[in-house]
Structure formats: C-alpha cells, structure tokens
Amino acid sequence: MGRALLAAGAHLLQHRGPLGAFGVYVAGLHCGRDDPSLQMEAHHWCAQSNDDLLQCVVFDGNTEEANLIGIEYIVSERLYATLPEEERGLWHPHNYEVLSGQLVAPGLPPAAEHALMRVLVNSYGKTWHTWHTGTHATGPGHPLPFGPAMPMWSFNRDGEADPAIERDFLAGMGIDLARSRARRADLLEHARPQQGVDRLADAFPLGTPIPGVIEAG
C-alpha cells in the first residue's frame, strides 16, 4: 500500500522532468560483450536528444514490476565516425537487430515502426547493464545489482541468441520473425558494413550471416 500511495502522490504532485521525454519504446535482446553467454531481454525507453543521439533506459520487462537494468546511448553512423578509434570498440552495431526483424517497437503502427528502423540502420549503441535479473530460460539472476557495470553487445548472426531466450521473447512480444524481417527487406539497400559485427564470432561459431550485416574493412 505504501508503494502505491507514494507512486500516486508523486504522479499527482511532481512533474516527470527529463523522464517525460523517454517515450520511444524499443525491445530486443542483449548479450555480454565480455561474456556472450550472459543474455537477456532488453526493453528500452528512449529520448531523442537530436538527429544523431538517443538516450535510453533499459528494463528487463515492460510491466510495472520490471527492473531497471541498464542504459544505452545510440548514435548515428555520422556521429560514430567522429569518435576516437579506441572509443569505437565500446559501441555495438545495430544492423542485425534491425534487418533480422528481432528488434521491435511495440504499439507503433507498421509505417511508424518502419520509419524508426530506418533511422536505426547503420547506427551504434553503447550499453552498460548494472543488474542481471535472470531470464525464464536461465533461471533467477542476482537479487540486487551486484558487481560492476557490464558492457553489452549485439547479436549479429542468426543462431547466436540462446534459442529458449529468443523463443520466450518472440512469443511474449507476439513477434512473427519471418514477417518482421520481410517487412524490412527494403532497408537492405541502405545498410552499410559496420564495425563490431565479427567481435563475438568466435563465441558463436554456428552463427549464420544474413544479408546486409557485414564487418567493415
């Protein structure tokens, strides 16, 4: 009851400040950059700072009981190209997430979601998770956000994500992966090679490349 009263009172009496801008919801899957076996759903609420930068807060679900597990910054290809070389190694590519159909923007009309995915083609994300809360497939995680923040990465080939985690995610979000991928086939012509596509290739030797997702250089 105390929690409900506090939430209701805060909603009525306090303004949401910067949180009011975090209205873009995008859901997908993440894996650990240094431990690719660490995999989970990632539900992002994002605010667009300008044409080249989005800021996102990341949760482990999309209900009121979801836990805040990390943050992600998303930059355009243009802004990424201005980063120092050593900094670029911290940013994961997004083309597989978009072109595979795995990344979705629930609730948006198809045309609006497609426009958002066009923006995300060739973009990069820098993500840190502070709490591994577990998954239906792997069981419970930590009861609190233990340890240092964990740098995360993107999947870049079919078959890299844990099949059980991917299956639970697709079913829970009502995603028809083949249909989602087909709707984005026209985005292939805009996709360019990206850095970081092959970073975790050795960890996922059975991964299958898809068109439009190519390592730069």
Side-chain angles (χ1 to χ4, degrees), residues 135-205:
T135 68
H136 295 303
T138 61
H142 299 147
L144 291 171
F146 293 156
M150 300 169 287
M152 307 306 290
W153 209 251
S154 54
F155 294 111
N156 288 285
R157 292 172 178 81
D158 285 348
E160 291 186 344
D162 181 295
I165 293 175
E166 184 176 40
R167 183 174 61 248
D168 283 353
F169 172 68
L170 296 177
M173 301 300 296
I175 301 170
D176 181 330
L177 194 60
R179 185 178 183 185
S180 179
R181 184 174 301 194
R183 284 176 172 172
R184 300 176 190 175
D186 64 306
L187 297 179
L188 274 171
E189 64 179 293
H190 303 289
R192 287 182 285 274
Q194 291 193 285
Q195 293 184 341
V197 168
D198 289 343
R199 182 183 179 97
L200 300 183
D202 289 344
F204 302 117

Side-chain angles (χ1 to χ4, degrees), residues 19-149:
L19 288 179
F22 286 75
V24 179
Y25 171 36
V26 180
L29 299 173
H30 284 170
C31 67
R33 186 191 70 180
D34 302 324
D35 180 7
S37 67
L38 188 67
Q39 303 182 13
M40 70 289 292
E41 294 185 17
H43 298 259
H44 311 62
W45 274 264
C46 304
Q48 187 164 8
S49 299
N50 52 55
D51 289 343
D52 294 300
L53 174 65
L54 288 111
Q55 304 180 74
C56 308
V57 287
V58 184
F59 292 81
D60 60 4
N62 57 11
T63 68
E64 292 184 359
E65 292 75 34
N67 296 296
L68 174 64
I69 60 172
I71 59 172
E72 177 165 359
Y73 300 101
I74 298 174
V75 296
S76 66
E77 180 184 33
R78 187 204 68 78
L79 188 54
Y80 176 81
T82 69
L83 300 177
E85 189 61 36
E86 63 273 17
E87 172 67 20
R88 295 181 193 177
L90 299 174
W91 297 76
H92 60 265
H94 281 153
N95 279 357
Y96 175 80
E97 295 182 332
V98 173
L99 298 175
S100 69
Q102 189 185 84
L103 188 72
V104 294
L108 285 184
E113 184 190 58
H114 193 274
L116 174 59
M117 294 302 152
R118 173 66 185 92
V119 170
L120 294 177
V121 169
N122 302 318
S123 69
Y124 290 83
K126 184 178 185 180
T127 306
W128 300 87
H129 280 196
T130 54
W131 190 358
H132 181 49
T133 56
T135 68
H136 295 303
T138 61
H142 299 147
L144 291 171
F146 293 156

